[in-house]
């Protein structure tokens, strides 16, 4: 039995705490925020409990299903046939299936064939392999041609990664294609899942399970430093308190590691500093009227400064329409500091361009959320850039969403990695 302190009560930290208790360890989870959940936490949107940042489940998310079953929540999974659209040059076109591709007016017949071949090959591909050393731009251009990349993909990358857009790993985009591509009822029907009650159903169940097993979840308790003696972790300092530990699992964003663990070797700290994160400003609307029948819409239109929107209520029934309008950008970008009111006005203007029937009277509630470390920038060769999860300090493991790579952020990867770190403690 070891005394384990987990820093961060997002899905990964809570999963780590839960699995550590199952192995017989003593566990304390520290969370700076007043609520658990991290990016999966809920907030009140005019009386509706909804995720701060949208989450969905794919059929490949086995760690999520296994954890739900353990917690007695397996019957809370729901599956819905969803659809995708592409708003391009002022028109909303169907997208995301072979018939939509064949009917898509912005590509030639040969370009459609090449695009379909890339998607089919991506879904069948078993691992990233050589894609780890290739940029998404080069990979997509090789399959589809430069015109397809510039027309369909470049606007999305530019409005998510800005100056890093042309140097994103092909392995990263491939895993997104494969995960969605394998979550289908048929070739013509995408099928995604959600947890009844939203992500907070799982988050609350994890917190309850930890506490029932004798563990502690301390909210509003920000870790300030990992205590180290003789090259081994001895605990975590939070305010005036010291939490003794034989093992520490840190799940905070990598940009915070240098402050939290200054005793790491200088070379390791430099590797953490080299990891770039993109921030997000997410505008969430609760509306009386639907924007479209699609769950998500990609956007390629010069009037828009967002890569797409997610109409979450087309996946999880919420009564009224719920739409997420995410603005990804480096936090150094001047726009990141704009007021909530400006983001709200601009975002609603975009929704009205997609559906001109929308009016101000349709807005029930709106929330603007900001996150400074929302999306890691993963260039080719990113796997070799990552420091080891097992740090140079004995007993200390460090991971955040960067370490899901080449997978993208998601609850399934949080659960998988949280459990894997606990298994290393046992070893």
């Amino acid at each position: 039995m070891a005394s384990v302190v987990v820093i961060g009560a997002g899905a990964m930290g809570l999963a780590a705490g839960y699995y550590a208790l199952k192995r017989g360890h003593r566990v304390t989870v520290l969370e700076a925020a007043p609520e658990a959940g991290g990016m999966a936490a809920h907030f009140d949107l005019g009386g509706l409990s909804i995720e701060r940042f949208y989450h969905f489940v794919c059929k490949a998310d086995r760690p999520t299903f296994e954890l739900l079953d353990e917690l007695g929540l397996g019957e809370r999974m729901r599956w819905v046939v969803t659809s995708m659209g592409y708003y391009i040059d002022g028109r909303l076109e169907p997208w995301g299936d072979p018939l939509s591709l064949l009917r898509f007016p912005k590509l030639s017949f040969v370009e459609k064939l090449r695009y379909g071949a890339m998607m089919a090959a991506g879904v069948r591909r078993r691992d990233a392999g050589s894609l780890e050393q290739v940029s998404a731009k080069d990979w997509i251009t090789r399959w589809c041609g430069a015109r397809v990349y510039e027309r369909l993909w470049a606007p999305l990358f530019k409005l998510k990664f800005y100056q890093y857009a042309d140097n994103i790993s092909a392995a990263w985009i491939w895993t997104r294609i494969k995960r969605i591509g394998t979550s289908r009822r048929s070739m013509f029907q995408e099928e995604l899942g959600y947890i009844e009650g939203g992500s907070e159903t799982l988050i609350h169940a994890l917190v309850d399970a930890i506490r029932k097993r004798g563990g502690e979840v301390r909210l509003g308790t920000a870790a300030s430093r990992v205590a180290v003696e003789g090259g081994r972790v001895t605990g975590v300092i939070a305010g005036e308190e010291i939490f003794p530990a034989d093992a520490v699992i840190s799940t905070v964003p990598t940009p915070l590691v240098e402050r939290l663990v200054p005793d790491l070797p200088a070379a390791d700290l430099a590797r953490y500093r080299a990891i770039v994160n993109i921030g997000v400003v997410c505008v969430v609307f609760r509306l009386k009227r639907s924007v479209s029948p699609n769950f998500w819409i990609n956007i390629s239109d010069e009037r828009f400064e967002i890569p797409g929107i997610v109409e979450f209520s087309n996946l999880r029934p919420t009564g009224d329409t719920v739409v997420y309008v995410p603005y990804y950008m480096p936090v150094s970008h001047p726009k990141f500091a704009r007021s909530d009111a400006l983001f709200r006005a601009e975002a609603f203007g975009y929704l009205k361009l997609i559906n001109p029937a929308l009016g101000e009277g349709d807005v029930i509630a709106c929330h603007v959320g900001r996150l400074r470390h929302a999306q890691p920038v993963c260039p080719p060769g990113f796997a070799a850039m990552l420091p080891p999860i097992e740090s140079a300090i004995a007993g200390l493991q460090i991971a955040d969403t960067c370490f899901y790579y080449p997978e993208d952020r998601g609850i399934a990867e949080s659960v998988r990695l949280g459990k894997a770190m606990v298994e290393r403690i046992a070893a």
Side-chain angles (χ1 to χ4, degrees), residues 17 75 84 97 105 126 153 168 172-173 188 227 252 256 289-290 304 325 334 352 364 376 394 398 411-412:
E75 295 182 355
M84 185 176 187
D97 64 79
R126 306 186 80 173
W153 288 89
I168 301 301
W172 179 81
I173 196 64
F188 300 98
V252 303
L256 306 180
R289 188 192 303 265
S290 175
F304 288 72
V325 184
K352 289 196 293 184
I364 300 169
I398 301 172
I411 288 177

Side-chain angles (χ1 to χ4, degrees), residues 84-88 92 95 152 156 296-300 307-309:
M84 185 176 187
Y86 214 116
Y87 188 85
I88 184 166
L92 179 59
W95 190 246
L152 298 185
L156 308 183
W296 38 27
I297 297 175
N298 284 343
I299 297 173
S300 177
I309 67 167

